[in-house]
Structures are given as C-alpha cells and as structure tokens.
C-alpha cells in the first residue's frame, strides 16, 4: 500500500494500484494549468482526486467560514471545474490510455450534510459537463462521473481508498 498526503489528509492506495501525486512540481505546467491532487490509474478507469481542507490549522487558505460559505454557494465550483479540465487535457495530450475518468472531490468538513454534498455534486456535473450537449454530437465523454464527498462519505463509498487525518 502507498499513502499520499495533502495537507494533513492522507489517502491510502492498495498495493499494485498505480497512483501519483499530480499537483506537484513534476507537473511542469503549473504556471498555466491547474491540476487535481492525485491521479489513480485502475485497470479500467482513472480516478482524478481533489482534496480541500479549509479547516486544516496549517492551511494558508482563507478563513474556514468564508471558504465554506463560498463552497456552499457554488463559487468554488469554477476552481474544481478547471482543475478537472486542465488535468483531463494534460492526460489526453500525454497520449495515455483512453479510459473513463471519474472525478472525486473530497471536502474535509464533517458538518456538510448529504443535501450539501448532493447539491455540489449536481452543480459540478453541470459545469464539467458530465452529459455533453443535448444534441448528442459528442461521441465520447470527457468525464464519466463525479461526486463531492466529506471524509465520512468518502470512506463509506470508496473504502478501498480510505482517507484519514495525519497526526500534526
């Protein structure tokens, strides 16, 4: 197994699964492209994973309450959208295997309700866009699915990739 860290959050990836921290200096284009935190390559799909932890005491992010308010209002969705799109373009331009991509955003705020998470997921699906144009002209999806989680819902729905807080 491999453990990747983002702030004080850790994700455990089982042995034999290819995964990498994507949002780091080896990305090479951070001056012009945003990046998801991690890319996990499975046999039949990619998982693009973004972590946000506005309540991390060591974080340099804006104050937690303001960030949460912006998140719940949908203002943060634009950042999530561009992180996905730029990571998708980077992967596509790298001529990596064409596999379905699933985009998962973890927001480490346990007070988020199921309704909050569903609302943010639905809005993100519209912004990416998950379904493409109504005309049906797209023959391929740019994203197969996406979801927004908190730590407890992540661990419930993705138990193979558990997330926890590291000790400070």
């Amino acid at each position: 197994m491999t453990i990747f860290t983002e702030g004080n959050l850790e994700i455990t990836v089982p042995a034999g699964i290819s995964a990498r921290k994507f949002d780091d200096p080896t990305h090479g284009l951070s001056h012009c492209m945003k990046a998801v935190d991690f890319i996990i390559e499975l046999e039949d799909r990619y998982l693009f994973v973004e972590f946000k932890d506005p309540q991390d005491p060591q974080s340099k992010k804006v104050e937690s309450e303001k960030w949460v308010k912006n998140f719940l209002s949908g203002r943060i969705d634009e950042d999530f959208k561009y992180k996905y799109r730029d990571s998708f373009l980077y992967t596509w331009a790298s001529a990596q295997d064409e596999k379905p991509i699933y985009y998962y955003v973890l927001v480490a705020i346990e007070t988020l309700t199921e309704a909050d998470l569903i609302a943010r997921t639905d809005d993100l699906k519209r912004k990416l866009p998950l379904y493409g144009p109504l005309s049906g002209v797209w023959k391929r999806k740019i994203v197969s699915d996406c979801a927004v989680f908190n730590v407890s819902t992540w661990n419930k729905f993705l138990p193979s990739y558990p997330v926890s807080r590291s000790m400070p």
Side-chain angles (χ1 to χ4, degrees):
M1 95 179 125
T2 305
I3 297 174
F4 292 96
T5 303
E6 179 69 20
N8 73 355
L9 294 174
E10 296 179 338
I11 182 170
T12 302
V13 178
I17 301 292
S18 176
R20 65 185 168 127
K21 178 132 175 83
F22 187 59
D23 190 8
D24 69 6
T26 63
H27 177 265
L29 292 175
S30 59
H31 66 283
C32 64
M33 295 181 87
K34 293 183 174 276
V36 296
D37 291 318
F38 309 104
I39 296 178
I40 300 170
E41 184 176 0
L42 304 175
E43 203 171 296
D44 63 341
R45 71 184 77 182
Y46 289 104
L47 305 180
F48 283 14
V49 177
E50 177 66 23
F51 281 3
K52 290 295 180 194
D53 190 8
Q55 295 176 333
D56 177 358
Q58 298 174 355
S59 175
K60 295 178 184 171
K61 294 178 180 57
V62 294
E63 68 180 88
S64 176
E65 291 177 17
K66 183 176 180 181
W67 194 94
V68 172
K69 183 179 177 182
N70 285 333
F71 170 72
L72 292 173
S73 72
R75 288 185 210 114
I76 305 291
D77 290 352
E78 289 296 305
D79 188 47
F80 293 149
K81 173 180 78 175
Y82 288 115
K83 282 179 175 281
Y84 177 80
R85 283 189 186 173
D86 287 357
S87 299
F88 169 81
L89 286 171
Y90 191 103
T91 302
W92 172 81
S94 299
Q96 295 182 13
D97 291 340
E98 289 188 31
K99 298 179 185 180
I101 302 171
Y102 293 75
Y103 181 34
Y104 296 137
V105 177
L106 181 137
V107 179
I109 302 172
E110 287 308 308
T111 58
L112 294 174
T113 65
E114 186 174 332
D116 294 333
L117 297 170
I118 290 170
R120 300 292 17 103
T121 295
D122 288 346
D123 283 351
L124 189 56
K125 285 179 179 183
R126 281 189 287 280
K127 285 188 180 342
L128 286 179
L130 184 69
Y131 304 109
L134 293 176
S135 67
V137 68
W138 284 7
K139 302 303 178 209
R140 297 181 351 185
K141 291 182 173 187
I142 63 169
V143 61
S144 290
D145 201 5
C146 69
V148 179
F149 301 96
N150 61 21
V151 174
S152 61
T153 58
W154 176 282
N155 288 329
K156 179 180 176 182
F157 290 101
L158 296 160
S160 297
Y161 311 94
V163 171
S164 61
R165 287 201 179 275
S166 61
M167 292 299 176

